[in-house]
Amino acid sequence: MNKPKDWPEETRAIQATQLAFDLSSDIQRAFRVASAMQDLNTSAMVRKVLQLPYRKKRIRPRLTVTLHDDDFVQLAERYGLPASDRAAIRQCVADELSAFASRFLTDPDADTSVK
């Protein structure tokens, strides 16, 4: 059986071992902050510190959050939209997250809590 040409990478990924470390909150925060400041994911930052090869740029730089049906209902009420219009809710969420980031980057000490 002939393997597709991209299988060697898949085979290598299967052979990799993922390690998890129980480190203090301060150490984890330091890695998250350092990786964010260097536009890396935390795994790449760990690899950089260990002087291992790493990807210089994130493949898909995005934020993720899991939203349940109840969350969409709550967000729809907040934005004055029907709960079924998930595309519009998603856009409103993206706008709110962008506004948060703008306020935070302008004044990191500003109160950015949701009221």
Side-chain angles (χ1 to χ4, degrees):
M1 178 173 128
N2 290 335
K3 294 180 185 177
K5 59 183 166 183
D6 62 340
W7 276 27
E9 278 189 40
E10 297 296 326
T11 303
R12 216 174 107 215
I14 292 170
Q15 294 171 348
T17 301
Q18 186 172 33
L19 300 178
F21 299 93
D22 292 325
L23 302 170
S24 74
S25 295
D26 290 341
I27 292 171
Q28 291 180 41
R29 185 178 310 108
F31 272 89
R32 285 193 305 271
V33 169
S35 61
M37 298 289 289
Q38 296 182 39
D39 200 24
L40 299 172
N41 62 36
T42 52
S43 177
M45 190 69 215
V46 169
R47 293 183 65 82
K48 181 177 181 179
V49 168
L50 297 174
Q51 298 179 351
L52 296 170
Y54 64 95
R55 284 208 166 100
K56 307 278 190 230
K57 290 285 182 180
R58 295 182 190 192
I59 294 174
R60 287 178 271 162
R62 48 183 170 166
L63 293 173
T64 61
V65 65
T66 301
L67 298 176
H68 303 281
D69 289 340
D70 292 347
D71 299 325
F72 278 102
V73 170
Q74 185 176 346
L75 290 168
E77 288 174 10
R78 177 152 138 204
Y79 300 132
L81 297 167
S84 60
D85 193 352
R86 292 189 172 194
I89 292 169
R90 179 183 171 132
Q91 184 59 54
C92 289
V93 167
D95 293 344
E96 187 170 340
L97 296 177
S98 293
F100 165 82
S102 295
R103 287 191 311 272
F104 180 80
L105 292 172
T106 302
D107 183 4
D109 294 326
D111 180 14
T112 55
S113 60
V114 177
K115 296 181 179 164

PDB file of all heavy atoms in Angstrom, residues 23-50:
ATOM      1  N   LEU A  23       3.397  22.685  37.488  1.00  0.00           N
ATOM      2  CA  LEU A  23       4.254  23.783  37.925  1.00  0.00           C
ATOM      3  C   LEU A  23       3.395  24.822  38.635  1.00  0.00           C
ATOM      4  O   LEU A  23       2.184  24.878  38.456  1.00  0.00           O
ATOM      5  CB  LEU A  23       4.967  24.399  36.727  1.00  0.00           C
ATOM      6  CG  LEU A  23       5.843  23.422  35.916  1.00  0.00           C
ATOM      7  CD1 LEU A  23       6.305  24.069  34.631  1.00  0.00           C
ATOM      8  CD2 LEU A  23       7.018  22.936  36.743  1.00  0.00           C
ATOM      9  N   SER A  24       4.023  25.671  39.396  1.00  0.00           N
ATOM     10  CA  SER A  24       3.283  26.687  40.142  1.00  0.00           C
ATOM     11  C   SER A  24       2.541  27.625  39.202  1.00  0.00           C
ATOM     12  O   SER A  24       2.887  27.760  38.019  1.00  0.00           O
ATOM     13  CB  SER A  24       4.242  27.497  41.022  1.00  0.00           C
ATOM     14  OG  SER A  24       5.009  28.379  40.225  1.00  0.00           O
ATOM     15  N   SER A  25       1.539  28.278  39.747  1.00  0.00           N
ATOM     16  CA  SER A  25       0.769  29.252  38.957  1.00  0.00           C
ATOM     17  C   SER A  25       1.667  30.356  38.430  1.00  0.00           C
ATOM     18  O   SER A  25       1.485  30.834  37.307  1.00  0.00           O
ATOM     19  CB  SER A  25      -0.343  29.862  39.813  1.00  0.00           C
ATOM     20  OG  SER A  25      -1.263  28.876  40.175  1.00  0.00           O
ATOM     21  N   ASP A  26       2.636  30.782  39.230  1.00  0.00           N
ATOM     22  CA  ASP A  26       3.544  31.845  38.799  1.00  0.00           C
ATOM     23  C   ASP A  26       4.372  31.413  37.589  1.00  0.00           C
ATOM     24  O   ASP A  26       4.574  32.197  36.659  1.00  0.00           O
ATOM     25  CB  ASP A  26       4.480  32.260  39.942  1.00  0.00           C
ATOM     26  CG  ASP A  26       3.756  33.009  41.046  1.00  0.00           C
ATOM     27  OD1 ASP A  26       2.644  33.518  40.792  1.00  0.00           O
ATOM     28  OD2 ASP A  26       4.307  33.082  42.159  1.00  0.00           O
ATOM     29  N   ILE A  27       4.857  30.185  37.615  1.00  0.00           N
ATOM     30  CA  ILE A  27       5.650  29.695  36.485  1.00  0.00           C
ATOM     31  C   ILE A  27       4.775  29.581  35.241  1.00  0.00           C
ATOM     32  O   ILE A  27       5.166  30.008  34.152  1.00  0.00           O
ATOM     33  CB  ILE A  27       6.303  28.335  36.824  1.00  0.00           C
ATOM     34  CG1 ILE A  27       7.370  28.530  37.906  1.00  0.00           C
ATOM     35  CG2 ILE A  27       6.910  27.685  35.580  1.00  0.00           C
ATOM     36  CD1 ILE A  27       7.929  27.236  38.463  1.00  0.00           C
ATOM     37  N   GLN A  28       3.569  29.045  35.402  1.00  0.00           N
ATOM     38  CA  GLN A  28       2.670  28.930  34.260  1.00  0.00           C
ATOM     39  C   GLN A  28       2.324  30.307  33.707  1.00  0.00           C
ATOM     40  O   GLN A  28       2.305  30.508  32.486  1.00  0.00           O
ATOM     41  CB  GLN A  28       1.397  28.185  34.664  1.00  0.00           C
ATOM     42  CG  GLN A  28       1.654  26.718  34.952  1.00  0.00           C
ATOM     43  CD  GLN A  28       0.394  26.003  35.348  1.00  0.00           C
ATOM     44  OE1 GLN A  28      -0.651  26.231  34.772  1.00  0.00           O
ATOM     45  NE2 GLN A  28       0.499  25.128  36.341  1.00  0.00           N
ATOM     46  N   ARG A  29       2.058  31.261  34.591  1.00  0.00           N
ATOM     47  CA  ARG A  29       1.739  32.620  34.151  1.00  0.00           C
ATOM     48  C   ARG A  29       2.919  33.221  33.401  1.00  0.00           C
ATOM     49  O   ARG A  29       2.747  33.871  32.360  1.00  0.00           O
ATOM     50  CB  ARG A  29       1.359  33.493  35.349  1.00  0.00           C
ATOM     51  CG  ARG A  29       0.886  34.885  34.952  1.00  0.00           C
ATOM     52  CD  ARG A  29       0.468  35.747  36.150  1.00  0.00           C
ATOM     53  NE  ARG A  29      -0.453  35.058  37.042  1.00  0.00           N
ATOM     54  CZ  ARG A  29      -0.121  34.601  38.272  1.00  0.00           C
ATOM     55  NH1 ARG A  29       1.093  34.777  38.756  1.00  0.00           N
ATOM     56  NH2 ARG A  29      -1.007  33.992  39.025  1.00  0.00           N
ATOM     57  N   ALA A  30       4.125  32.997  33.896  1.00  0.00           N
ATOM     58  CA  ALA A  30       5.323  33.531  33.233  1.00  0.00           C
ATOM     59  C   ALA A  30       5.422  32.996  31.805  1.00  0.00           C
ATOM     60  O   ALA A  30       5.719  33.751  30.871  1.00  0.00           O
ATOM     61  CB  ALA A  30       6.575  33.181  34.032  1.00  0.00           C
ATOM     62  N   PHE A  31       5.150  31.707  31.622  1.00  0.00           N
ATOM     63  CA  PHE A  31       5.203  31.138  30.282  1.00  0.00           C
ATOM     64  C   PHE A  31       4.089  31.677  29.391  1.00  0.00           C
ATOM     65  O   PHE A  31       4.308  31.957  28.216  1.00  0.00           O
ATOM     66  CB  PHE A  31       5.172  29.597  30.324  1.00  0.00           C
ATOM     67  CG  PHE A  31       6.547  29.012  30.454  1.00  0.00           C
ATOM     68  CD1 PHE A  31       7.097  28.785  31.701  1.00  0.00           C
ATOM     69  CD2 PHE A  31       7.301  28.722  29.333  1.00  0.00           C
ATOM     70  CE1 PHE A  31       8.374  28.275  31.828  1.00  0.00           C
ATOM     71  CE2 PHE A  31       8.581  28.207  29.441  1.00  0.00           C
ATOM     72  CZ  PHE A  31       9.125  27.976  30.699  1.00  0.00           C
ATOM     73  N   ARG A  32       2.885  31.832  29.951  1.00  0.00           N
ATOM     74  CA  ARG A  32       1.787  32.355  29.140  1.00  0.00           C
ATOM     75  C   ARG A  32       2.075  33.795  28.715  1.00  0.00           C
ATOM     76  O   ARG A  32       1.863  34.166  27.552  1.00  0.00           O
ATOM     77  CB  ARG A  32       0.463  32.272  29.905  1.00  0.00           C
ATOM     78  CG  ARG A  32      -0.095  30.858  29.970  1.00  0.00           C
ATOM     79  CD  ARG A  32      -1.530  30.841  30.450  1.00  0.00           C
ATOM     80  NE  ARG A  32      -1.740  31.503  31.724  1.00  0.00           N
ATOM     81  CZ  ARG A  32      -1.652  30.926  32.914  1.00  0.00           C
ATOM     82  NH1 ARG A  32      -1.364  29.646  33.006  1.00  0.00           N
ATOM     83  NH2 ARG A  32      -1.861  31.619  34.011  1.00  0.00           N
ATOM     84  N   VAL A  33       2.582  34.601  29.643  1.00  0.00           N
ATOM     85  CA  VAL A  33       2.873  36.005  29.329  1.00  0.00           C
ATOM     86  C   VAL A  33       4.017  36.086  28.328  1.00  0.00           C
ATOM     87  O   VAL A  33       3.935  36.805  27.323  1.00  0.00           O
ATOM     88  CB  VAL A  33       3.181  36.807  30.609  1.00  0.00           C
ATOM     89  CG1 VAL A  33       3.744  38.178  30.280  1.00  0.00           C
ATOM     90  CG2 VAL A  33       1.938  36.920  31.478  1.00  0.00           C
ATOM     91  N   ALA A  34       5.094  35.343  28.581  1.00  0.00           N
ATOM     92  CA  ALA A  34       6.244  35.376  27.671  1.00  0.00           C
ATOM     93  C   ALA A  34       5.852  34.905  26.281  1.00  0.00           C
ATOM     94  O   ALA A  34       6.257  35.501  25.276  1.00  0.00           O
ATOM     95  CB  ALA A  34       7.380  34.510  28.228  1.00  0.00           C
ATOM     96  N   SER A  35       5.046  33.855  26.217  1.00  0.00           N
ATOM     97  CA  SER A  35       4.647  33.356  24.894  1.00  0.00           C
ATOM     98  C   SER A  35       3.754  34.363  24.185  1.00  0.00           C
ATOM     99  O   SER A  35       3.897  34.581  22.984  1.00  0.00           O
ATOM    100  CB  SER A  35       3.974  31.989  25.006  1.00  0.00           C
ATOM    101  OG  SER A  35       2.810  32.048  25.776  1.00  0.00           O
ATOM    102  N   ALA A  36       2.853  34.995  24.917  1.00  0.00           N
ATOM    103  CA  ALA A  36       1.993  36.013  24.301  1.00  0.00           C
ATOM    104  C   ALA A  36       2.822  37.192  23.811  1.00  0.00           C
ATOM    105  O   ALA A  36       2.596  37.706  22.707  1.00  0.00           O
ATOM    106  CB  ALA A  36       0.936  36.485  25.296  1.00  0.00           C
ATOM    107  N   MET A  37       3.792  37.619  24.612  1.00  0.00           N
ATOM    108  CA  MET A  37       4.628  38.755  24.225  1.00  0.00           C
ATOM    109  C   MET A  37       5.453  38.452  22.974  1.00  0.00           C
ATOM    110  O   MET A  37       5.783  39.351  22.209  1.00  0.00           O
ATOM    111  CB  MET A  37       5.562  39.149  25.372  1.00  0.00           C
ATOM    112  CG  MET A  37       4.841  39.605  26.625  1.00  0.00           C
ATOM    113  SD  MET A  37       4.054  41.199  26.449  1.00  0.00           S
ATOM    114  CE  MET A  37       5.460  42.256  26.418  1.00  0.00           C
ATOM    115  N   GLN A  38       5.769  37.173  22.775  1.00  0.00           N
ATOM    116  CA  GLN A  38       6.574  36.793  21.611  1.00  0.00           C
ATOM    117  C   GLN A  38       5.720  36.178  20.499  1.00  0.00           C
ATOM    118  O   GLN A  38       6.246  35.638  19.535  1.00  0.00           O
ATOM    119  CB  GLN A  38       7.675  35.817  22.045  1.00  0.00           C
ATOM    120  CG  GLN A  38       8.652  36.482  23.001  1.00  0.00           C
ATOM    121  CD  GLN A  38       9.773  35.559  23.420  1.00  0.00           C
ATOM    122  OE1 GLN A  38      10.278  34.783  22.619  1.00  0.00           O
ATOM    123  NE2 GLN A  38      10.179  35.650  24.671  1.00  0.00           N
ATOM    124  N   ASP A  39       4.407  36.260  20.653  1.00  0.00           N
ATOM    125  CA  ASP A  39       3.453  35.736  19.673  1.00  0.00           C
ATOM    126  C   ASP A  39       3.692  34.256  19.379  1.00  0.00           C
ATOM    127  O   ASP A  39       3.700  33.822  18.228  1.00  0.00           O
ATOM    128  CB  ASP A  39       3.477  36.558  18.381  1.00  0.00           C
ATOM    129  CG  ASP A  39       2.215  36.362  17.557  1.00  0.00           C
ATOM    130  OD1 ASP A  39       1.173  35.990  18.142  1.00  0.00           O
ATOM    131  OD2 ASP A  39       2.274  36.551  16.333  1.00  0.00           O
ATOM    132  N   LEU A  40       3.909  33.505  20.444  1.00  0.00           N
ATOM    133  CA  LEU A  40       4.089  32.060  20.360  1.00  0.00           C
ATOM    134  C   LEU A  40       3.014  31.395  21.195  1.00  0.00           C
ATOM    135  O   LEU A  40       2.469  32.017  22.109  1.00  0.00           O
ATOM    136  CB  LEU A  40       5.456  31.645  20.920  1.00  0.00           C
ATOM    137  CG  LEU A  40       6.705  32.193  20.249  1.00  0.00           C
ATOM    138  CD1 LEU A  40       7.936  31.842  21.064  1.00  0.00           C
ATOM    139  CD2 LEU A  40       6.825  31.645  18.841  1.00  0.00           C
ATOM    140  N   ASN A  41       2.741  30.117  20.933  1.00  0.00           N
ATOM    141  CA  ASN A  41       1.893  29.401  21.869  1.00  0.00           C
ATOM    142  C   ASN A  41       2.785  28.896  23.004  1.00  0.00           C
ATOM    143  O   ASN A  41       4.017  28.902  22.891  1.00  0.00           O
ATOM    144  CB  ASN A  41       1.085  28.286  21.184  1.00  0.00           C
ATOM    145  CG  ASN A  41       1.951  27.217  20.575  1.00  0.00           C
ATOM    146  OD1 ASN A  41       2.998  26.858  21.101  1.00  0.00           O
ATOM    147  ND2 ASN A  41       1.508  26.694  19.449  1.00  0.00           N
ATOM    148  N   THR A  42       2.193  28.480  24.094  1.00  0.00           N
ATOM    149  CA  THR A  42       3.004  28.116  25.265  1.00  0.00           C
ATOM    150  C   THR A  42       3.903  26.918  24.979  1.00  0.00           C
ATOM    151  O   THR A  42       5.029  26.858  25.480  1.00  0.00           O
ATOM    152  CB  THR A  42       2.127  27.833  26.494  1.00  0.00           C
ATOM    153  OG1 THR A  42       1.118  26.894  26.145  1.00  0.00           O
ATOM    154  CG2 THR A  42       1.493  29.096  27.030  1.00  0.00           C
ATOM    155  N   SER A  43       3.433  25.990  24.169  1.00  0.00           N
ATOM    156  CA  SER A  43       4.261  24.837  23.825  1.00  0.00           C
ATOM    157  C   SER A  43       5.525  25.271  23.078  1.00  0.00           C
ATOM    158  O   SER A  43       6.627  24.799  23.361  1.00  0.00           O
ATOM    159  CB  SER A  43       3.453  23.860  22.974  1.00  0.00           C
ATOM    160  OG  SER A  43       4.249  22.774  22.583  1.00  0.00           O
ATOM    161  N   ALA A  44       5.369  26.200  22.136  1.00  0.00           N
ATOM    162  CA  ALA A  44       6.532  26.707  21.400  1.00  0.00           C
ATOM    163  C   ALA A  44       7.476  27.441  22.344  1.00  0.00           C
ATOM    164  O   ALA A  44       8.703  27.358  22.205  1.00  0.00           O
ATOM    165  CB  ALA A  44       6.086  27.620  20.260  1.00  0.00           C
ATOM    166  N   MET A  45       6.914  28.166  23.326  1.00  0.00           N
ATOM    167  CA  MET A  45       7.759  28.876  24.291  1.00  0.00           C
ATOM    168  C   MET A  45       8.577  27.893  25.122  1.00  0.00           C
ATOM    169  O   MET A  45       9.769  28.113  25.353  1.00  0.00           O
ATOM    170  CB  MET A  45       6.877  29.749  25.201  1.00  0.00           C
ATOM    171  CG  MET A  45       7.658  30.701  26.054  1.00  0.00           C
ATOM    172  SD  MET A  45       8.403  31.989  25.050  1.00  0.00           S
ATOM    173  CE  MET A  45       9.916  32.223  25.946  1.00  0.00           C
ATOM    174  N   VAL A  46       7.952  26.809  25.556  1.00  0.00           N
ATOM    175  CA  VAL A  46       8.681  25.778  26.309  1.00  0.00           C
ATOM    176  C   VAL A  46       9.794  25.205  25.442  1.00  0.00           C
ATOM    177  O   VAL A  46      10.934  25.063  25.889  1.00  0.00           O
ATOM    178  CB  VAL A  46       7.723  24.662  26.791  1.00  0.00           C
ATOM    179  CG1 VAL A  46       8.499  23.470  27.337  1.00  0.00           C
ATOM    180  CG2 VAL A  46       6.766  25.203  27.845  1.00  0.00           C
ATOM    181  N   ARG A  47       9.473  24.903  24.178  1.00  0.00           N
ATOM    182  CA  ARG A  47      10.498  24.361  23.275  1.00  0.00           C
ATOM    183  C   ARG A  47      11.633  25.369  23.067  1.00  0.00           C
ATOM    184  O   ARG A  47      12.804  24.995  23.027  1.00  0.00           O
ATOM    185  CB  ARG A  47       9.881  23.958  21.937  1.00  0.00           C
ATOM    186  CG  ARG A  47       8.923  22.763  22.070  1.00  0.00           C
ATOM    187  CD  ARG A  47       8.379  22.325  20.727  1.00  0.00           C
ATOM    188  NE  ARG A  47       9.442  21.815  19.865  1.00  0.00           N
ATOM    189  CZ  ARG A  47       9.929  20.576  19.919  1.00  0.00           C
ATOM    190  NH1 ARG A  47       9.447  19.716  20.783  1.00  0.00           N
ATOM    191  NH2 ARG A  47      10.895  20.203  19.097  1.00  0.00           N
ATOM    192  N   LYS A  48      11.300  26.646  22.984  1.00  0.00           N
ATOM    193  CA  LYS A  48      12.326  27.685  22.812  1.00  0.00           C
ATOM    194  C   LYS A  48      13.243  27.728  24.024  1.00  0.00           C
ATOM    195  O   LYS A  48      14.467  27.766  23.888  1.00  0.00           O
ATOM    196  CB  LYS A  48      11.663  29.050  22.596  1.00  0.00           C
ATOM    197  CG  LYS A  48      12.653  30.174  22.378  1.00  0.00           C
ATOM    198  CD  LYS A  48      11.946  31.484  22.104  1.00  0.00           C
ATOM    199  CE  LYS A  48      12.977  32.581  21.878  1.00  0.00           C
ATOM    200  NZ  LYS A  48      12.342  33.869  21.580  1.00  0.00           N
ATOM    201  N   VAL A  49      12.661  27.696  25.228  1.00  0.00           N
ATOM    202  CA  VAL A  49      13.461  27.727  26.454  1.00  0.00           C
ATOM    203  C   VAL A  49      14.376  26.504  26.525  1.00  0.00           C
ATOM    204  O   VAL A  49      15.522  26.599  26.963  1.00  0.00           O
ATOM    205  CB  VAL A  49      12.546  27.811  27.701  1.00  0.00           C
ATOM    206  CG1 VAL A  49      13.309  27.551  28.976  1.00  0.00           C
ATOM    207  CG2 VAL A  49      11.851  29.169  27.751  1.00  0.00           C
ATOM    208  N   LEU A  50      13.875  25.363  26.074  1.00  0.00           N
ATOM    209  CA  LEU A  50      14.668  24.129  26.087  1.00  0.00           C
ATOM    210  C   LEU A  50      15.626  24.034  24.905  1.00  0.00           C
ATOM    211  O   LEU A  50      16.324  23.047  24.734  1.00  0.00           O
ATOM    212  CB  LEU A  50      13.740  22.907  26.098  1.00  0.00           C
ATOM    213  CG  LEU A  50      12.853  22.768  27.326  1.00  0.00           C
ATOM    214  CD1 LEU A  50      11.887  21.614  27.156  1.00  0.00           C
ATOM    215  CD2 LEU A  50      13.692  22.619  28.585  1.00  0.00           C
TER     216      LEU A  50
END
